[in-house]
């Protein structure tokens, strides 16, 4: 099954009827499975809404990272740490198909090339809008930046709340999961890693 981008969903273009019908069937099966009436007024259009929402939630599968980053890599003499924190992310746990969401913090030390700041957020969205686990998501974001601008090092930290722990199972509403991925100098140099983590711990205004 190939999922179109959300822009295509909004414009009603390039959407496979087969794709939407399969997703609508899934939603209807779930409704019937819990003993509800799919023909009830409030549920009649739910399968269609579900299909379009699921396409949006997984739009990262069809995103072209090279196209997104095209023209956003610039030459630079700077070799000081660049940090963007509190980038909001929304993803879907692949184990329970329930959302998890939070913030990603990204830092890197340039090696003659820098990346447009907004592209750090776009990279985060490309990989978060998929069926994911937080550990892999953290690594994918870090590696994408490392491969794109070949910096001296990259550090990525994600703080997220998982609905699979909040509304089911353990039901720990205040729990938060932190993951990190350090590449290059962030892994090899303790001072670089400490600088990154100290900046993150500073009180937000």
């Amino acid at each position: 099954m190939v999922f179109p981008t959300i822009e295509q969903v909004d414009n009603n273009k390039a959407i496979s009827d087969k794709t939407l019908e399969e997703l609508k069937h899934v939603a209807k099966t779930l409704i019937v499975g819990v003993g509800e009436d799919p023909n009830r007024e409030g549920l009649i259009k739910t399968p269609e809404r579900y299909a379009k929402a699921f396409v949006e939630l997984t739009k990262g599968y069809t995103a072209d990272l090279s196209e997104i980053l095209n023209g956003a890599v610039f030459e630079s003499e700077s070799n000081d740490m660049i940090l963007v924190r509190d980038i909001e992310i929304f993803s879907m746990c692949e184990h329970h198909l329930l959302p998890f969401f939070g913030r990603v913090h990204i830092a890197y030390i340039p090696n003659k090339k820098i990346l447009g700041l907004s592209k750090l957020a776009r990279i985060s969205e490309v990989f978060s809008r998929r069926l994911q686990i937080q550990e892999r998501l953290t690594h994918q974001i870090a590696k994408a930046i490392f491969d794109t601008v070949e910096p001296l090092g990259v550090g990525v930290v994600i703080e997220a709340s998982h609905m699979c722990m909040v509304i089911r199972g353990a039901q720990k509403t205040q729990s938060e999961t932190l993951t990190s991925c350090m590449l290059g100098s962030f892994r090899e140099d303790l001072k670089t890693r400490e600088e990154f983590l100290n900046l993150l711990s500073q009180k937000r205004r």
Side-chain angles (χ1 to χ4, degrees):
M1 186 184 301
V2 177
F3 295 109
T5 64
I6 190 57
E7 288 79 8
Q8 292 171 329
V9 173
D10 289 339
N11 295 325
N12 289 322
K13 296 177 182 178
I15 302 175
S16 164
D17 288 340
K18 184 172 183 291
T19 295
L20 287 179
E21 286 304 315
E22 286 177 341
L23 289 171
K24 286 163 66 176
H25 177 72
V26 168
K28 189 171 183 178
T29 299
L30 290 172
I31 292 169
V32 172
V34 298
E36 266 286 4
D37 177 8
N39 295 313
R40 181 164 65 77
E41 181 182 11
L43 293 173
I44 289 177
K45 293 186 177 181
T46 296
E48 181 179 356
R49 296 189 192 102
Y50 172 89
K52 290 185 177 182
F54 201 82
V55 167
E56 180 176 1
L57 294 170
T58 58
K59 65 181 180 179
Y61 285 118
T62 56
D64 186 336
L65 192 59
S66 60
E67 182 177 327
I68 289 172
L69 300 179
N70 184 38
V73 177
F74 309 98
E75 292 185 5
S76 174
E77 296 303 316
S78 171
N79 61 356
D80 296 316
M81 186 180 298
I82 297 170
L83 167 64
V84 178
R85 68 184 190 185
D86 295 323
I87 300 170
E88 293 180 335
I89 55 164
F90 302 90
S91 194
M92 184 81 75
C93 167
E94 66 182 37
H95 298 148
H96 300 96
L97 295 185
L98 289 172
F100 68 90
F101 56 90
R103 303 177 304 279
V104 56
H105 316 291
I106 301 171
Y108 70 98
I109 297 178
N111 182 20
K112 299 182 179 180
K113 291 187 291 185
I114 60 173
L115 188 62
L117 294 177
S118 67
K119 300 306 180 182
L120 298 177
R122 294 298 301 274
I123 289 173
S124 301
E125 179 162 328
V126 165
F127 291 107
S128 64
R129 293 291 184 155
R130 302 179 181 189
L131 304 183
Q132 275 287 13
I133 58 173
Q134 185 174 328
E135 298 89 338
R136 181 172 62 233
L137 174 59
T138 310
H139 179 78
Q140 287 177 332
I141 293 171
K143 190 172 187 306
I145 296 166
F146 199 82
D147 291 344
T148 300
V149 292
E150 301 176 325
L152 298 176
V154 177
V156 175
V157 171
I158 295 181
E159 307 172 63
S161 178
H162 292 247
M163 290 301 99
C164 58
M165 284 187 64
V166 172
I167 63 174
R168 60 160 300 281
Q171 297 186 17
K172 302 303 181 184
T173 60
Q174 301 301 313
S175 66
E176 192 171 53
T177 301
L178 275 74
T179 51
S180 69
C181 179
M182 308 289 176
L183 301 177
S185 60
F186 281 72
R187 175 179 287 274
E188 299 160 1
D189 184 4
L190 177 60
K191 289 184 178 180
T192 298
R193 188 163 62 251
E194 286 181 339
E195 179 184 355
F196 172 43
L197 297 176
N198 286 337
L199 286 171
L200 287 185
S201 66
Q202 290 181 7
K203 184 177 181 180
R204 294 173 175 82
R205 294 182 180 179

